[in-house]
Amino acid sequence: VECSSAAEALAAAGAGADIVLLDNLAPQELHAAAAQVKAAHPGVTVEASGGIVLGTLPQFLGPHIDVVSMGCLTHSAPALDFALRV
C-alpha cells in the first residue's frame, strides 16, 4: 500500500497490508514513520520510494527500511540504439 504519512502507513499495516511503501517523505520523516510501523507491526515490509537517486540513497537507508525503490533506474536510463542482423 502506498502511503504518504506515518498515520496512513500504520492504518494500512493495521488493516493487513504486507508491504507499506512510504512515498515522497524526507529522510528524517521516513525513518520516524518506518520505526513506528515496525514497532507496531514487525512483520510488515517497509519500502522507501519517491525522489531517491544514487546521490541521496544513503540518507534513505536505515534499520527499519527493508526495500528502496529508485525510479531513476528506469525513467532516467539513457537510450541505446542497436540492431541485430542474422
Side-chain angles (χ1 to χ4, degrees):
V1 175
E2 184 174 321
C3 303
S4 58
S5 70
E8 285 182 6
L10 288 167
D18 296 324
I19 302 172
V20 173
L21 184 146
L22 296 170
D23 194 30
N24 292 316
L25 299 179
Q28 187 175 8
E29 186 181 7
L30 169 75
H31 294 299
Q36 290 176 27
V37 170
K38 287 292 192 174
H41 307 279
V44 170
T45 299
V46 176
E47 180 176 350
S49 180
I52 303 170
V53 296
L54 289 175
T56 62
L57 177 60
Q59 299 172 28
F60 292 89
L61 303 176
H64 306 293
I65 305 298
D66 300 304
V67 179
V68 176
S69 293
M70 296 174 51
C72 67
L73 295 175
T74 55
H75 63 67
S76 297
L80 176 63
D81 185 17
F82 69 95
L84 175 64
R85 294 189 179 148
V86 182

